[in-house]
Amino acid sequence: MYKWEIEELKFQIGKLIQLHRLKRSLSQFQLGNELNLSSNHVGRIERAETNPTIENLVKFCNFLKLICYFYLLS
């Protein structure tokens, strides 16, 4: 069974958000405005300094047109 590493997962999520933000030529400020988040918070998520909430992950995915998969393993 796969064991999730929290820090690695935060890093990968942040890099994915940053990659798609840059593909759309958006600054952290512009993305934050679109999602009703501060640019500082967007930056902290991209640098894996904080955990994005499920609500914010869905906001990012909807706005950046990404498919979010959430798996619950028992």
Side-chain angles (χ1 to χ4, degrees), residues 18-30:
Q18 182 182 47
L19 172 71
H20 287 278
R21 174 180 62 79
L22 293 173
K23 277 185 177 181
R24 297 185 84 190
S25 300
L26 294 169
S27 67
Q28 291 176 344
F29 180 79
Q30 291 168 315

Side-chain angles (χ1 to χ4, degrees), residues 5-70:
E5 296 293 333
I6 299 300
E7 292 304 314
E8 179 62 23
L9 186 58
K10 286 182 357 184
F11 178 80
Q12 293 297 327
I13 289 169
K15 287 301 172 190
L16 181 68
I17 290 169
Q18 182 182 47
L19 172 71
H20 287 278
R21 174 180 62 79
L22 293 173
K23 277 185 177 181
R24 297 185 84 190
S25 300
L26 294 169
S27 67
Q28 291 176 344
F29 180 79
Q30 291 168 315
L31 181 58
N33 278 344
E34 291 292 333
L35 303 179
N36 198 26
L37 300 171
S38 73
S39 58
N40 288 335
H41 191 63
V42 172
R44 286 192 306 273
I45 291 170
E46 287 184 355
R47 292 187 302 275
E49 294 173 357
T50 190
N51 294 323
T53 63
I54 296 296
E55 290 84 2
N56 285 340
L57 281 175
V58 170
K59 284 182 185 182
F60 282 115
C61 290
N62 286 340
F63 182 76
L64 296 171
K65 296 181 177 27
L66 303 174
I67 297 171
C68 291
Y69 292 101
F70 300 99

